[in-house]
Amino acid sequence: MKHLLSYLCFCLFYITVQAQSVNLAPNPLQKQVIKRGYGLFMHFGINTFNQTEWSDGILPVSSYNPSALNCDQWIADAKEAGARHVVLTVKHHDGFCLWDSKYTDYDVAASPVKTDVVKAVAAACKKYGVQFGIYYSLWDRHEPSYRAADKKEYIKYMKNQLTELLTNYGPVCELWFDGAWDRKAEDWDVSGLYELTKKLQPNCAFTFNHTIGVGQNAKGIGQPRNFKEGDIIRFYPVDFRTKDPNLVRWDDPKIYSYAEQSYYLPFEHTICLSDRWNWFQKKDVVAARPLDELEQLFYWCTSNDNVLLLNYPPDQTGRHRANERERLFELADRLGIRGGKKPLPKAKVNVAMGQLITATSSAPERPADKANDTDMESYWMAAENTSSLEINFKRSEKIKQISLLEYADMKDLGDGFSSERSFRTTAFNVEAYNGSSWKMIHQGTTIGACLTFKLKNPMQVQRIRINILSATKPAGFYHISIE
């Protein structure tokens, strides 16, 4: 009897361990999320025509009026750019719907241009072999049932709309919920939405934005740079994490917890192609991010089994801007993924990361090691307008390329999200020490969001020194990458 009891205890322990460990690696659906790796976010809707990022649900339907809508071209661009999937904002916080929904008259069917954009995009995705994903805002500032005393009324409205989206437009690779902050987590019926999604689209990955809490505080919104293994999942169940528009650490943990159980969750980054960080296109044409920066962000965001979703919004014509299209294709060429047939490239080893780094001066709480740590959102900041930053390698390294990502001052443009960047450096140089002497390997005036330069000939070095020779104010770096 004693042996039997011991055996039963062992079996119970083994089953418990197996149940806990089964969630510590990606499941087949999550492997598909990871395999996609790179997609395009497409923000388009009534905000596009009203110079705003967020609207309150009272903008007239008549204001939605694209003059040359071409959804086929959107997806042709995505395929040519090497994207594996697109995520379309079918309904933003304003409640305006890009499909003909029988549950509202605040949709494209009531507008001057009645094209069912969801149908057109889904059809183009099938045509070009690009997977189709959906962004749907939980927060709805137009729908009357959202303000009903009984919160279940709006949940019913949502489920009716989601049934339309998940049954009428073919395969959906992921469903991306946003706007949950306007209510308590328990008021969203997350498990019911998850169950509905899996019933209608078993292969659809499911997430809520702001997925992870702060430690075991589910009410707090965790910042990706602070994620720790075992942090609580705020919305359960989900298949992957998001927290737009932030970047996770290079050593991003994957295991999170809910009800004392552990779960593996990859992360999907959301960033803007625009240099001004706007999700919806405005009337004025603005520059796209520099190519060097996009390349560095691509590698950062797709490493460690994570995903990049790059926002590529159509403008008021219903087409994409020529300058953004050109930049998107330039990125594809540099990455070697033009046409979408080649696998996504892997990041090279950054030999600067974690090396001993010192500065001639540093601002309080902005030490030198913030420039080569695992956090892209932290930064070193000098205390003076002229300064030097020196990396001392543990052993001699053969290097061929250096990328500098400079700290930016941000100016709020007053539309709820957009901002304009400016940079401080006006003259600098970079030196390399080969064991016996220093050699200047690059010099210039401005650095900007990212400056990548290649050496004419790879060289063996023991130290690298970056000298800020002049700046409008003390300058800094988010990150330094050396290959």
Side-chain angles (χ1 to χ4, degrees):
M1 185 68 182
K2 180 179 179 181
H3 293 298
L4 178 60
L5 184 60
S6 297
Y7 176 74
L8 290 174
C9 289
F10 170 78
C11 289
L12 180 61
F13 171 78
Y14 178 79
I15 291 169
T16 302
V17 169
Q18 289 297 101
Q20 291 176 341
S21 64
V22 73
N23 302 308
L24 303 187
N27 60 36
L29 180 61
Q30 291 171 329
K31 288 178 180 178
Q32 290 302 309
V33 173
I34 294 165
K35 183 179 179 181
R36 282 196 286 273
Y38 175 45
L40 298 182
F41 220 171
M42 293 191 179
H43 280 72
F44 186 68
I46 204 161
N47 292 343
T48 307
F49 303 88
N50 289 277
Q51 291 290 100
T52 188
E53 290 291 319
W54 288 13
S55 57
D56 56 10
I58 63 172
L59 291 173
V61 175
S62 59
S63 65
Y64 172 87
N65 192 15
S67 58
L69 184 64
N70 190 340
C71 300
D72 187 89
Q73 187 62 56
W74 301 0
I75 310 306
D77 284 359
K79 180 68 174 180
E80 185 65 14
R84 276 42 178 175
H85 67 300
V86 299
V87 175
L88 176 67
T89 56
V90 301
K91 178 171 80 84
H92 204 251
H93 312 320
D94 46 75
F96 182 80
C97 298
L98 288 181
W99 77 101
D100 181 3
S101 174
K102 66 181 181 181
Y103 300 101
T104 184
D105 57 2
Y106 200 54
D107 64 6
V108 291
S111 78
V113 179
K114 303 183 186 304
T115 301
D116 186 324
V117 176
V118 177
K119 181 178 181 179
V121 169
C125 283
K126 182 178 180 181
K127 174 181 175 181
Y128 292 105
V130 175
Q131 295 184 56
F132 175 55
I134 286 173
Y135 164 110
Y136 183 98
S137 175
L138 301 155
W139 187 27
D140 191 317
R141 304 178 76 180
H142 177 85
E143 168 55 31
S145 67
Y146 187 84
R147 297 180 292 278
D150 184 355
K151 292 181 172 59
K152 292 180 181 179
E153 287 190 33
Y154 179 67
I155 298 298
K156 180 180 179 181
Y157 172 82
M158 279 205 307
K159 288 182 176 179
N160 284 333
Q161 287 204 320
L162 291 169
T163 299
E164 291 179 323
L165 291 166
L166 297 175
T167 57
N168 296 337
Y169 300 101
V172 176
C173 69
E174 67 181 56
L175 180 55
W176 213 98
F177 286 111
D178 195 15
W181 56 77
D182 198 51
R183 289 184 177 178
K184 296 178 181 178
E186 56 268 27
D187 291 336
W188 289 118
D189 187 20
V190 181
S191 59
L193 295 174
Y194 188 87
E195 181 181 349
L196 176 67
T197 301
K198 299 302 178 177
K199 176 183 176 182
L200 300 177
Q201 296 268 354
N203 295 317
C204 178
F206 179 104
T207 195
F208 267 56
N209 194 16
H210 304 172
T211 318
I212 304 301
V214 178
Q216 293 304 302
N217 175 15
K219 294 183 179 179
I221 298 174
Q223 294 298 322
R225 63 178 174 271
N226 299 324
F227 286 168
K228 294 180 177 62
E229 186 169 310
D231 283 353
I232 194 167
I233 301 169
R234 300 178 66 232
F235 304 102
Y236 179 85
V238 291
D239 298 310
F240 63 100
R241 293 168 288 144
T242 57
K243 171 59 180 76
D244 81 306
N246 300 102
L247 305 177
V248 294
R249 300 194 316 271
W250 188 263
D251 55 345
D252 170 50
K254 291 294 187 292
I255 308 302
Y256 299 88
S257 67
Y258 186 83
E260 299 184 357
Q261 180 67 280
S262 296
Y263 299 91
Y264 181 99
L265 294 175
F267 187 90
E268 185 168 63
H269 294 86
T270 55
I271 66 172
C272 293
L273 178 58
S274 166
D275 194 57
R276 289 192 177 179
W277 279 90
N278 58 287
W279 295 117
F280 289 94
Q281 206 66 272
K282 306 301 187 299
K283 292 179 180 178
D284 293 336
V285 176
V286 299
R289 285 178 183 265
L291 181 58
D292 287 346
E293 182 189 21
L294 287 169
E295 181 185 22
Q296 289 298 311
L297 289 174
F298 175 90
Y299 285 126
W300 189 278
C301 294
T302 59
S303 293
N304 197 20
D305 287 345
N306 289 327
V307 181
L308 170 61
L309 197 58
L310 180 62
N311 190 48
Y312 183 49
D315 67 7
Q316 295 78 25
T317 67
R319 295 174 179 263
H320 287 103
R321 295 266 164 88
N323 69 316
E324 292 193 350
R325 189 168 185 258
E326 180 181 0
R327 183 55 44 83
L328 195 65
F329 292 166
E330 287 175 343
L331 177 63
D333 287 334
R334 181 171 288 191
L335 297 171
I337 58 172
R338 187 81 176 255
K341 295 181 180 179
K342 294 183 179 179
L344 300 180
K346 301 295 184 183
K348 305 294 191 299
V349 175
N350 177 7
V351 298
M353 196 177 289
Q355 300 284 0
L356 176 64
I357 185 168
T358 57
T360 55
S361 71
S362 296
E365 301 182 359
R366 303 297 179 191
D369 61 6
K370 295 297 184 182
N372 70 333
D373 62 6
T374 61
D375 180 5
M376 180 72 85
E377 295 185 344
S378 67
Y379 58 91
W380 162 73
M381 178 64 71
E384 302 169 356
N385 286 19
T386 60
S387 55
S388 294
L389 196 63
E390 185 174 313
I391 298 170
N392 195 333
F393 298 107
K394 296 182 181 72
R395 60 178 182 274
S396 178
E397 295 283 356
K398 190 173 185 178
I399 69 168
K400 61 181 181 180
Q401 175 178 297
I402 297 178
S403 297
L404 306 174
L405 289 88
E406 187 179 358
Y407 170 82
D409 290 307
M410 310 295 286
K411 178 183 177 183
D412 187 343
L413 297 180
D415 65 3
F417 188 82
S418 302
S419 56
E420 189 171 42
R421 300 188 288 182
S422 61
F423 302 91
R424 300 179 176 186
T425 300
T426 54
F428 75 102
N429 65 37
V430 182
E431 300 173 288
Y433 183 74
N434 61 10
S436 59
S437 63
W438 286 96
K439 178 183 178 181
M440 187 184 298
I441 57 175
H442 189 84
Q443 60 182 331
T445 52
T446 58
I447 296 173
C450 181
L451 174 69
T452 296
F453 63 90
K454 297 180 184 293
L455 280 62
K456 291 183 179 179
N457 297 299
M459 64 185 299
Q460 206 76 25
V461 303
Q462 293 180 346
R463 301 178 189 177
I464 291 291
R465 187 162 61 203
I466 304 157
N467 301 304
I468 306 298
L469 305 177
S470 67
T472 57
K473 290 187 287 186
F477 293 111
Y478 290 112
H479 198 65
I480 296 170
S481 177
I482 303 177
E483 300 173 7

